[in-house]
């Protein structure tokens, strides 16, 4: 009888532990609160509450893992969540971890300033990799809740006021000072070149080797194909592409595959 009681109690404690571990979520800060509805500046209603925390975090993580693809808008019930994350210190911390990983990787490459032969390359995307588009989304209240208005967004880009993504100026110059040739490969259109150059310099970036934007011929291709073609071109010139860093999976897809890729978080939009 005693053995049976002890066994039953043990199972009960194990079960409680399993349930507690499964239910624990760092995003349960709203636990115990009733869901509430808020309306963004553009009139998008979003439901907030503990029952959505897990779902929206799971959706965001699966976007980053590239399990969820080709979405045109963020689920309406998760717009508030994406905004909360992208404007939080957690986003800054996540970017910093990616930067730390890249710096650690740099120490394992064969390129050092005294030894480099000038053919070691690193590729950066621009939007939400070097320059942040968060101010645009803040001022327009979208954060993925509506399809991106390309005309309006390009007008904002032409102002050249985008701030640097946290910690990225540090990484950019760390890579440059090690002797890598830095290539900036962006899906921005060619007519935005002057504004882009001025914005990059103002944000703290300088001395890159080449800035590649999309001309009329490149605009006929998908962004994925365009960026893959740039890597093919660099490889044909004899460059060794040690790393590619971007906030969209289109920066890494296709051949040739770079030696290493570093993805920055961005679940606001998806560009193929």
């Amino acid at each position: 009888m005693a053995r049976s009681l002890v066994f039953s109690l043990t199972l009960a404690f194990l079960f409680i532990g399993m349930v507690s571990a499964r239910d624990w979520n760092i995003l349960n800060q709203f636990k115990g609160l009733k869901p509430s509805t808020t309306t963004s500046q553009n009139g998008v209603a979003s439901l907030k509450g503990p029952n959505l925390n897990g779902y929206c975090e799971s959706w965001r993580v699966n976007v980053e893992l590239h399990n969820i693809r080709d979405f045109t808008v963020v689920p309406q019930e998760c717009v508030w969540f994406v905004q909360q994350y992208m404007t939080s210190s957690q986003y800054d911390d996540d970017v910093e971890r990616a930067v730390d990983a890249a710096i650690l990787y740099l120490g394992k490459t064969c390129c050092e300033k005294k030894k480099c032969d000038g053919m070691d390359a690193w590729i950066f995307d621009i939007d939400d990799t070097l320059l942040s588009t968060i101010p645009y989304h803040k001022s327009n209240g979208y954060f993925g809740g509506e399809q991106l208005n390309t005309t309006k967004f390009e007008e904002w880009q032409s102002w050249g006021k985008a701030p640097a993504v946290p910690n990225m100026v540090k990484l950019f110059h760390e890579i440059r000072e090690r002797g890598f040739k830095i290539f900036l490969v962006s899906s921005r259109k060619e007519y935005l070149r002057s504004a882009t150059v001025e914005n990059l310099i103002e944000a703290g970036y300088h001395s890159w080797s080449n800035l590649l934007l999309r001309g009329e011929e490149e605009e006929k291709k998908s962004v994925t194909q365009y960026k893959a073609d740039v890597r093919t071109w660099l490889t044909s010139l004899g460059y060794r592409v040690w790393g590619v860093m971007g906030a969209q999976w289109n920066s890494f897809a296709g051949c040739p595959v770079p030696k290493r890729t570093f993805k920055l978080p961005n679940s606001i939009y998806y560009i193929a």
Side-chain angles (χ1 to χ4, degrees):
M1 180 70 178
R3 285 184 180 180
S4 178
L5 180 61
V6 170
F7 181 69
S8 298
L9 288 171
T10 301
L11 282 178
F13 280 118
L14 283 173
F15 178 75
I16 291 171
M18 289 171 65
V19 171
S20 299
R22 175 66 181 84
D23 288 347
W24 182 88
N25 190 313
I26 196 171
L27 298 166
N28 280 341
Q29 66 267 37
F30 294 114
K31 191 172 183 180
L33 299 178
K34 293 181 179 180
S36 59
T37 301
T38 60
T39 304
S40 65
Q41 293 177 14
N42 64 334
V44 175
S46 298
L47 181 65
K48 296 184 179 182
N51 56 319
L52 280 177
N53 288 340
Y55 170 77
C56 291
E57 171 64 356
S58 178
W59 184 87
R60 186 190 69 79
V61 168
N62 276 277
V63 167
E64 302 300 350
L65 292 173
H66 213 203
N67 293 330
I68 295 175
R69 309 181 184 188
D70 301 316
F71 63 90
T72 55
V73 293
V74 173
Q76 290 301 303
E77 63 271 26
C78 294
V79 172
W80 70 273
F81 186 92
V82 170
Q83 177 176 357
Q84 181 186 49
Y85 169 74
M86 294 297 294
T87 57
S88 71
S89 60
Q90 183 63 58
Y91 166 77
D92 294 351
D93 289 344
D94 291 345
V95 172
E96 188 173 11
R97 295 293 78 73
V99 168
D100 290 343
I103 291 175
L104 183 64
Y105 167 69
L106 287 172
K108 299 177 182 179
T109 66
C110 63
C111 181
E112 297 177 11
K113 197 163 187 178
K114 295 180 180 178
K115 299 179 182 179
C116 283
D117 59 3
M119 300 306 291
D120 294 292
W122 192 282
I123 296 174
F124 283 106
D125 197 348
I126 294 180
D127 289 309
D128 293 307
T129 301
L130 297 182
L131 299 177
S132 174
T133 69
I134 297 300
Y136 171 81
H137 296 285
K138 276 186 176 180
S139 63
N140 290 281
Y142 296 146
F143 281 93
E146 292 185 5
Q147 283 187 271
L148 194 67
N149 184 320
T150 305
T151 302
K152 196 171 182 179
F153 183 58
E154 288 180 3
E155 180 185 10
W156 179 83
Q157 290 175 323
S158 71
W159 297 344
K161 301 298 183 182
V165 171
N167 299 293
M168 289 305 294
V169 173
K170 163 189 167 184
L171 176 63
F172 180 94
H173 291 297
E174 175 79 20
I175 292 173
R176 184 182 62 79
E177 289 168 5
R178 285 175 180 262
F180 288 86
K181 294 292 181 67
I182 294 179
F183 293 88
L184 309 184
V185 183
S186 173
S187 60
R188 289 188 177 201
K189 294 178 180 179
E190 181 62 40
Y191 84 90
L192 290 167
R193 178 173 294 274
S194 294
T196 300
V197 169
E198 291 175 10
N199 197 163
L200 286 165
I201 293 173
E202 182 68 24
Y205 304 102
H206 59 79
S207 304
W208 56 82
S209 294
N210 203 340
L211 168 62
L212 296 114
L213 305 178
R214 288 198 297 166
E216 291 183 5
E217 287 302 312
E218 286 76 23
E219 287 182 40
K220 297 175 183 177
K221 306 175 184 177
S222 68
V223 175
T224 297
Q225 187 60 55
Y226 154 66
K227 292 183 177 180
D229 287 348
V230 170
R231 295 198 302 275
T232 299
W233 173 67
L234 289 174
T235 303
S236 72
L237 295 177
Y239 284 103
R240 297 176 291 274
V241 181
W242 286 92
V244 177
M245 200 162 203
Q248 291 286 312
W249 284 97
N250 60 40
S251 293
F252 321 123
C255 295
V257 178
K259 294 179 184 291
R260 186 70 192 271
T261 61
F262 295 89
K263 170 76 168 62
L264 295 186
N266 180 7
S267 52
I268 298 176
Y269 55 87
Y270 185 96
I271 299 175

